[in-house]
Amino acid sequence: MTNSPKLLKLLKLELFPNVFQRIEIDQDLSIGREPENQIVLKDLSISGQHAMIGREGDKVWVEDLGSTNGTLVNDNIIHKKYLEDRDVITIGYCKMLFCIEEESAAQVDVSQLATVNDWEDIWFTIPSQEESIQKFADWMHEKIDGLELPHLQNFSKAIAAGLKNAYLHGHQKDKEKLLRCRVQKTAAHLRITIADQGKGFDYENYLRNLFIQNQEISTGIGVLIKEADSLEFNLSGNQVILAKSLQPGAGNKNKDPKRGDRSATVSKKRMSHLTRHVAIRYFRKMVFQRPSCLKLIFSAQQLRIFPEHLEIKPAGVFGPSVNIEIRPICPGCLVNPPIQQVDILHTPLKVEFWITPLTLAYESSQASIQFVQDGKILQVLKLPSQIANPQLSKRMLWAGLWLPLLFIALDVPMFSINRDLPGILLRFIRFIENMGGWTMFGLLLGCLSVCLGIFLQARSRPIPSEVINLEIAAN
């Protein structure tokens, strides 16, 4: 009776283009931006405690923890869902692939390489010695050459570099430890897993520096990026997986020789219909000669709320880009800056413009914002708004201050009423005297002026618009 193979439940998080971190789900895993989570994602679109992934027997579930932007599985918002193989989980702007993989039971020592004919799925045990590692690397080179596929001719270099890294950095040349290498060959792919017994290598930070600093990758770990179609490593950093397509032209053969990334030509072809959501908030009532802020946030999915409190700064990105220009058109207003160019491929992205009305004759029907790519207008959004003049409210408030003083002066005895005044004016004066005199009338008129000034001041305050959601399709 044969034992059934062990099934691994994994999350694959893409950290860089075609570079994934493997996270085995053997316990409940919290996901969020705060450092106490098991999976920390430093993305401002992700809540501090965003989601939880856990197991119930053989089943794996994901649950949203009341996050701001929600949790999606296969582009559907969920509260809690049991996962199936190849489900895609979207948390903020990060995507994770849930996978179920089998562990191979076949084990072969490197000394038995000559007896191996079928190498579809085997674990090889390799002593941590330069001779044994070189022997296995030569055997792999011979097997790969036997496939007679030109695009695989340098893949054996990536395997040798992975073995060398495990020996030097993982085992630190400790000959008492063992390397394990799993070879999986199907009709479509060749997959190599290299595992060591060391403390692990910090692949994430090393690769981050490799990409950001634009280092040459002709030797060392850079060869893994350059020659493999995809690279995976575990949290401990003591296991790395290289994958290569066996179909000519189906792999990642068009790469930038310095960055290991896809070339701009291939990437732009793949993203010929890039779609981004834009959340826009502006002031539909602006104040004369007072600047107001127009805010835009670009995201890969529609935001449920507008994150006013977040400061989203452009990241140091690499590889291809999709640039568009944003042009606010506001006749009679000063717009600062008048135009901004942004890369909408790397989101989230926040853009701000400051708009100052310079005339009361503001033509709101002509106010708009244009999204332009390569001289072509992708989208135009109207921005209906009004201009409020605060000067009248200020004058009423000043009148409320000075009118009581003026009428108090009229109550001084040195001022006598001329009996030769017109009758209608004389009757008005008698009416004022019957109300309590000029002082009382002045106070009453002053109170009315102050109330009217406060009312006009409230009406002239800037009023923000509701969040406008727009979809931009760029090439």
Side-chain angles (χ1 to χ4, degrees):
M1 185 172 120
T2 59
N3 295 327
S4 58
K6 179 183 177 182
L7 295 179
L8 295 178
K9 309 293 177 68
L10 301 166
L11 287 177
K12 295 183 181 180
L13 172 64
E14 186 172 23
L15 299 177
F16 308 101
N18 307 306
V19 178
F20 301 85
Q21 187 174 55
R22 294 163 57 90
I23 305 168
E24 185 174 352
I25 307 172
D26 52 6
Q27 60 177 342
D28 290 353
L29 302 172
S30 61
I31 305 174
R33 201 173 65 249
E34 295 179 355
E36 56 265 22
N37 292 287
Q38 279 78 31
I39 302 177
V40 179
L41 301 176
K42 297 179 181 180
D43 190 320
L44 293 175
S45 64
I46 296 174
S47 300
Q49 299 285 338
H50 196 108
M52 179 75 73
I53 292 179
R55 296 188 62 162
E56 291 180 10
D58 291 334
K59 295 181 179 180
V60 176
W61 50 263
V62 58
E63 180 179 6
D64 184 77
L65 300 179
S67 62
T68 300
N69 291 317
T71 301
L72 289 79
V73 175
N74 300 329
D75 294 329
N76 297 314
I77 293 182
I78 57 96
H79 172 64
K80 183 175 181 178
K81 181 176 176 19
Y82 288 92
L83 298 174
E84 298 180 1
D85 189 26
R86 314 302 293 180
D87 277 349
V88 178
I89 305 169
T90 304
I91 294 180
Y93 302 104
C94 298
K95 290 185 181 293
M96 291 178 282
L97 179 67
F98 172 70
C99 296
I100 301 176
E101 296 183 355
E102 290 186 1
E103 280 280 81
S104 173
Q107 305 280 341
V108 176
D109 189 84
V110 73
S111 60
Q112 301 173 337
L113 287 177
T115 64
V116 177
N117 295 318
D118 183 4
W119 52 302
E120 290 186 354
D121 193 356
I122 302 177
W123 273 107
F124 292 93
T125 303
I126 308 170
S128 187
Q129 299 172 1
E130 293 186 10
E131 298 82 6
S132 299
I133 294 172
Q134 187 61 47
K135 179 180 179 181
F136 180 77
D138 292 341
W139 181 83
M140 284 299 307
H141 181 72
E142 180 182 344
K143 287 290 186 180
I144 291 173
D145 280 352
L147 298 175
E148 297 182 351
L149 295 174
H151 71 282
L152 289 180
Q153 61 182 353
N154 292 323
F155 187 54
S156 56
K157 294 182 180 179
I159 299 173
L163 291 168
K164 184 178 180 181
N165 180 68
Y167 171 64
L168 294 178
H169 300 288
H171 289 176
Q172 298 182 351
K173 299 183 179 181
D174 185 351
K175 296 183 179 181
E176 298 298 323
K177 296 180 179 178
L178 294 175
L179 290 173
R180 299 177 70 237
C181 183
R182 182 183 184 184
V183 180
Q184 296 170 275
K185 177 180 170 293
T186 66
H189 292 91
L190 180 60
R191 185 179 169 93
I192 307 296
T193 303
I194 301 172
D196 61 62
Q197 297 176 331
K199 296 181 179 179
F201 182 76
D202 192 353
Y203 283 97
E204 182 176 355
N205 284 329
Y206 182 89
L207 293 172
R208 190 183 303 277
N209 294 330
L210 188 72
F211 281 119
I212 293 176
Q213 296 176 14
N214 196 22
Q215 299 175 3
E216 294 289 340
I217 60 172
S218 57
T219 58
I221 297 177
V223 177
L224 309 184
I225 302 292
K226 184 178 179 180
E227 302 300 338
D229 290 344
S230 67
L231 170 69
E232 302 174 15
F233 58 90
N234 62 357
L235 280 174
S236 302
N238 58 8
Q239 184 182 90
V240 63
I241 299 176
L242 312 175
K244 190 75 172 180
S245 173
L246 296 181
Q247 306 296 327
N252 239 7
K253 65 179 182 179
N254 292 320
K255 293 189 177 184
D256 183 343
K258 288 186 177 181
R259 296 184 180 185
D261 193 8
R262 296 176 186 261
S263 69
T265 303
V266 174
S267 294
K268 285 189 176 181
K269 185 181 295 184
R270 176 174 58 88
M271 298 177 295
S272 58
H273 296 89
L274 178 67
T275 301
R276 285 293 181 262
H277 294 273
V278 189
I280 303 171
R281 170 162 282 181
Y282 71 102
F283 284 88
R284 56 186 173 88
K285 177 178 283 188
M286 297 185 289
V287 180
F288 177 60
Q289 295 184 342
R290 185 182 299 174
S292 301
C293 191
L294 166 65
K295 301 179 182 180
L296 303 91
I297 291 185
F298 291 82
S299 61
Q301 63 189 45
Q302 184 171 328
L303 295 177
R304 294 165 58 187
I305 64 169
F306 195 92
E308 293 276 7
H309 61 289
L310 294 183
E311 288 295 331
I312 302 177
K313 300 179 180 179
V317 296
F318 49 85
S321 61
V322 178
N323 296 318
I324 67 169
E325 288 184 354
I326 308 171
R327 304 175 181 175
I329 309 298
C330 299
C333 297
L334 175 65
V335 181
N336 184 32
I339 298 175
Q340 289 197 58
Q341 186 178 64
V342 296
D343 177 11
I344 64 171
L345 177 59
H346 303 93
T347 55
L349 178 67
K350 188 174 183 179
V351 183
E352 292 184 350
F353 294 88
W354 290 93
I355 302 174
T356 306
L358 301 179
T359 176
L360 292 173
Y362 175 67
E363 299 181 11
S364 63
S365 61
Q366 298 183 16
S368 62
I369 183 168
Q370 298 178 352
F371 300 88
V372 182
Q373 183 183 31
D374 298 330
K376 178 183 177 182
I377 298 178
L378 302 177
Q379 191 78 268
V380 178
L381 176 67
K382 295 291 185 180
L383 299 177
S385 57
Q386 299 176 350
I387 302 297
N389 187 1
Q391 299 300 321
L392 182 58
S393 63
K394 291 181 179 179
R395 290 169 186 159
M396 296 303 299
L397 291 172
W398 277 108
L401 175 64
W402 288 105
L403 281 176
L405 298 177
L406 176 62
F407 284 97
I408 288 173
L410 292 177
D411 255 350
V412 177
M414 64 181 294
F415 293 100
S416 60
I417 298 176
N418 189 345
R419 301 297 177 178
D420 297 330
L421 292 173
I424 186 170
L425 186 56
L426 196 59
R427 284 195 294 272
F428 175 72
I429 292 173
R430 297 300 180 196
F431 173 74
I432 296 300
E433 290 177 347
N434 292 333
M435 285 183 59
W438 292 101
T439 299
M440 186 62 66
F441 181 73
L443 291 174
L444 179 61
L445 199 59
C447 289
L448 290 175
S449 298
V450 170
C451 292
L452 184 59
I454 293 173
F455 174 73
L456 293 175
Q457 183 75 20
R459 291 201 61 183
S460 65
R461 293 179 61 186
I463 301 176
S465 69
E466 297 296 325
V467 177
I468 300 174
N469 287 291
L470 188 67
E471 194 171 281
I472 300 292
N475 298 319

